[in-house]
Structure formats: structure tokens, C-alpha cells
Amino acid sequence: MLKNLALAFSLMLVPSSILAQDAPASETTVSEPLKTRAQDVVALLKEEKAPEDVFGPQFLASVPPAQFNAVTQQLTSQFGAAIGVESIESTGEFTANIAIRFEKAIGQGTLALSATEPHKIEGLLLRQFDAIDDSLAKIEADLAALPGKVGVYYGPISGDAPVLSINPERQFAIGSTFKLYVLAALAEDVAAGKRSWNEVIPLSQRSLPSGMMQDWPQGAPVTLHTLASMMISISDNTATDELINALGRDRIAKLVAESGHSDLSKANPFLTTRELFTLKGGAPETLEAYRTETDAQRKLKMLSELDSASVSANDVNSAFAGGPVAIDVEWFASANDLRKLFLHMNEVADDNAFAIMGINPSVQSSVRDDWEYIGYKGGSEPGVLYLTWLLTDQSGNQHILVLSWNNPDAALDNTALELIAQRILALPR
């Protein structure tokens, strides 16, 4: 929860030593085991073979058959049935780049086999899908079929003639995407000379993962640039709360208003990640009292009285075990609010903010080649998924893609929206 979401769709992440074996300069022939196992991948996707017959123990330990079958169903729902091996290019005796043809796309990735008989698959990574005969109408239909509420905006940041726009003014819970507002407030203060990226502060806040800084020593000296980079690139919650503490809740609320947020009643009070975890992982009566309170000042008082130290990661995990929990207690924005935020940042933010957004662009290399710049921030918790890209084309024109999906009644299939995002980015613009 509250984490970045990579657009890359992977069937399996394996040690880099397996999939990164470069081919010798003389390598031209594809080994028979590679040819056989590539065909086995297609058979698996067609459910003509069982995962236990094709994958080795390392793969099955990370991706059990039930999980692989669920992934297969998601792929075929998006791209149609697997048809066959489009191509296979050896990168070593037991490693290769492969392309699998589906009815609606060609999936490209890497394949790695065990070096010992019977050469079962120990690594399979399909990470790029190039659509075949896709269309805006098909994408809109697939979005409409998702349970819950969905919003999309894809087009010039100016707001002129979007390629795709669905519920652009609707307020959605946005998860960790709210961290863009923290970044914007910091970057504006830096541009105004009130702060410096090199400013060092002692680490004093503690939140729960995602991230890693919750495990750093108390009082560790960290720069504002480090905190911002961790907050955006790996969605570090402790870094986020440290910046909120340093900047002040009122300062960020001021930025939210000045950027043109369309419903400040949903934006205030501006929660820390620790406060959200405490509300949702703590006493149910406290959560219910907070979510039914309508006065922002009384809500602030309630937040000040929370015993954050009493809620652990186990408490939060237990609270979410049954699915979404009070997604009305969250951070909120519309796609158009995010568009206006980026326009505001163009005017007032130090340029380093955009460099920080580009650390983890969350797209494949083929997409990166289409753009001069890509910045990204996403967010999620059960029932909430929000993906946001700021993109600059080769002519210097800025575009934005925002995908919003909320369902208070069931956990979301994150992969479904990520795959749709990849298809949207492949549309003509």
C-alpha cells in the first residue's frame, strides 16, 4: 500500500545473473532447449501445459502455479489468446530474448533456463507489449468494464484536445500520488530561496513501509534532496513525513490551494502517512469518528490526539487483509487537479523537482524513446490505484497521463490498469 507501481508487467523477477548473461560475439544459433521451452511458454499461456511441467523449482518458489494462472488470465483478457512464438534471439546457451504473439499484441521479454537437464524455465520476464490493431474505442471499453469508478486524462498539459478523457473532474482517492504536492511545495520554496536542496536535517519521523528510511538511525543527517528523491522514486513514507514535518502542514495546504485543487474540503486536513496508517490500523471507533467528522479543525485535533506509536505494520496488514478500508479517508484529487499542479510547478518550482520525478519513470525503454522526458508518481492501497505521468515530447510540448481507479468494495487488479496504461501510451497523439 502507498507504493509506486511499475508499468512493466513481469511474470517473474529473477536474479540479474540469470537474465543478464550477455551473448558471446559469435553467438548466432538458438539452442534446442531454448526453442523447446519458448514453445512451452505458448503452451502454458494456452493452458495446454501445467506450470509444474515447465518451470523449475526457483521459478515455482516465487510464482506458484495458481499465481501464474491468474497472470495468464489477465494477459489473455487484455491481449487475447497466445498464438505462437514470434521470435527468439539467443543471448547465451540457455538465455534468450523472446517475443510471443497474442491476438492483440506482441509481448517481448527474456527467457532463462536451468543449465542442467531437463532445462526447465527458471526465468521468464514479459515486460513490453506492443498492441496490434488496438484502438481508443477498445481501450475505453476495457476501462468501462473495470469494477468501481475509473477516471482517465491523456493529452496536452494545456488541456487542449485530449486524446482520452473520462471523469477528469471527479475526485478520486490517489494514494501516494499526494506526494507530488509535498514535492511541489518544497521545490517552490527552493526556487524562492527559502530552502536549499543541500539543507541537512536530522531524521526524526518514523512511518511504515513502503520505503526503507523507517530503518535508518534516529537523527541521521539527510538532505532535503535525498528525502525528496526517496519520497518520489521509491515512495518512501518516512521521507514523506519528514518533509511534511519540515515544511509544515499549512505550507503544503497553501500549495494545494494555489495550484488550483478543485475541492479543498477533500484535501484538508493534509494527512501524513503515519496518521493514515494509525487511523486505518487502529481502533475502528477512532476511524469511524474521523471519517464522519466534517469540520477540518476538529479533524486536526483528532489527528493530534492519535497514538501513532501504538500501531504496527502487522496491525495495518491485518486491517487490510479483508480488502479496502475506508478509502474515503485518504488524499484526493482529480485528473484535472494534477494537470493544474504540473502547470503550477512549471511556474514556481525549481527544476530539480522534475529531475526527481524522472528517477523512476516507470515505463519501458520503447516508451522512453518516444519522449524527451518522463516523470512519474503512482500510489495505491487496497481499493485505490492512481498512476500519473508527466511527459515531454521531442518538440518540447508537455503531456499528461492520469489513470484513476477506486473501488471501496474490493481489492483492485493492479496489472489490469498498468496494461491499459501501456496501451494508452502507444496511441497516436
Side-chain angles (χ1 to χ4, degrees):
M1 67 208 65
L2 303 181
K3 61 184 178 181
N4 271 331
L5 292 168
L7 179 60
F9 172 74
S10 56
L11 292 178
M12 169 65 174
L13 294 178
V14 299
S16 58
S17 59
I18 294 179
L19 290 183
Q21 297 176 32
D22 295 328
S26 60
E27 188 76 53
T28 58
T29 304
V30 178
S31 69
E32 287 303 318
L34 281 171
K35 292 178 183 178
T36 299
R37 292 307 185 190
Q39 294 294 337
D40 284 344
V41 172
V42 176
L44 282 165
L45 293 169
K46 291 182 175 181
E47 299 184 351
E48 295 173 352
K49 285 197 171 184
E52 298 90 335
D53 297 333
V54 175
F55 294 123
Q58 180 182 354
F59 191 104
L60 292 171
S62 297
V63 184
Q67 182 179 345
F68 181 84
N69 291 335
V71 168
T72 297
Q73 292 174 10
Q74 183 54 246
L75 277 175
T76 55
S77 70
Q78 286 280 338
F79 301 124
I83 296 173
V85 178
E86 180 76 6
S87 66
I88 178 168
E89 177 187 356
S90 176
T91 58
E93 186 177 2
F94 299 111
T95 59
N97 296 322
I98 63 170
I100 304 296
R101 178 174 285 272
F102 295 79
E103 290 176 334
K104 302 176 185 177
I106 294 176
Q108 301 183 52
T110 48
L111 176 68
L113 312 183
S114 168
T116 59
E117 293 282 357
H119 304 300
K120 288 191 172 184
I121 296 173
E122 291 292 3
L124 175 61
L125 179 65
L126 294 181
R127 55 191 173 192
Q128 179 178 325
F129 292 85
D130 299 320
I132 300 171
D133 193 30
D134 203 4
S135 69
L136 188 61
K138 291 177 181 177
I139 291 172
E140 289 176 329
D142 288 343
L143 286 165
L146 296 176
K149 299 295 184 181
V150 176
V152 185
Y153 186 92
Y154 179 49
I157 196 172
S158 64
D160 296 333
V163 176
L164 178 58
S165 180
I166 300 171
N167 295 325
E169 302 290 348
R170 184 185 180 92
Q171 293 290 312
F172 283 87
I174 65 175
S176 280
T177 307
F178 88 91
K179 295 168 185 177
L180 288 171
Y181 285 102
V182 181
L183 177 67
L186 173 59
E188 182 176 358
D189 282 359
V190 171
K194 299 176 181 178
R195 296 273 186 176
S196 166
W197 293 112
N198 295 326
E199 180 182 340
V200 176
I201 61 176
L203 193 63
S204 62
Q205 304 299 302
R206 283 288 184 272
S207 188
L208 301 173
S210 58
M212 62 175 66
M213 293 187 76
Q214 70 278 357
D215 299 321
W216 287 22
Q218 184 77 3
V222 288
T223 66
L224 296 181
H225 191 281
T226 295
L227 290 168
S229 297
M230 296 287 277
M231 174 179 69
I232 300 298
S233 65
I234 65 169
S235 211
D236 194 293
N237 291 326
T238 291
T240 303
D241 287 2
E242 193 68 63
L243 285 173
I244 294 173
N245 183 63
L247 293 167
R249 202 191 306 261
D250 290 344
R251 170 68 188 93
I252 300 168
K254 180 173 180 288
L255 180 282
V256 173
E258 291 177 348
S259 69
H261 194 288
S262 57
D263 190 348
L264 295 179
S265 68
K266 285 188 170 293
N268 292 313
F270 196 87
L271 293 165
T272 67
T273 68
R274 185 78 208 199
E275 287 166 345
L276 181 133
F277 287 133
T278 304
L279 285 168
K280 298 196 178 189
E285 58 271 20
T286 301
L287 173 61
E288 188 59 26
Y290 183 86
R291 69 189 302 202
T292 56
E293 178 58 69
T294 58
D295 182 80
Q297 290 303 313
R298 285 197 289 269
K299 281 190 169 185
L300 270 175
K301 185 174 186 297
M302 294 171 70
L303 293 177
S304 70
E305 295 171 349
L306 288 176
D307 182 9
S308 296
S310 66
V311 175
S312 68
N314 286 337
D315 295 327
V316 175
N317 290 335
S318 296
F320 283 110
V325 177
I327 69 170
D328 54 319
V329 177
E330 248 269 3
W331 304 270
F332 284 84
S334 69
N336 198 40
D337 290 336
L338 269 296
R339 185 184 66 82
K340 290 185 290 185
L341 172 64
F342 289 139
L343 287 171
H344 185 73
M345 290 176 68
N346 284 338
E347 296 294 326
V348 304
D350 182 87
D351 285 345
N352 276 290
F354 299 105
I356 288 170
M357 285 179 58
I359 294 173
N360 178 18
S362 200
V363 294
Q364 294 307 303
S365 57
S366 61
V367 177
R368 295 187 196 190
D369 293 342
D370 289 340
W371 302 93
E372 184 69 25
Y373 165 84
I374 302 176
Y376 171 79
K377 186 72 193 80
S380 71
E381 67 168 271
V384 173
L385 185 57
Y386 207 90
L387 312 175
T388 304
W389 285 267
L390 177 65
L391 311 113
T392 304
D393 65 24
Q394 308 300 337
S395 299
N397 301 310
Q398 286 185 311
H399 304 255
I400 184 174
L401 171 58
V402 178
L403 279 162
S404 325
W405 186 12
N406 286 179
N407 187 352
D409 300 319
L412 307 180
D413 183 348
N414 292 1
T415 300
L417 198 65
E418 294 166 18
L419 290 171
I420 290 174
Q422 187 163 304
R423 293 164 60 194
I424 291 172
L425 288 171
L427 290 170
R429 59 180 188 272

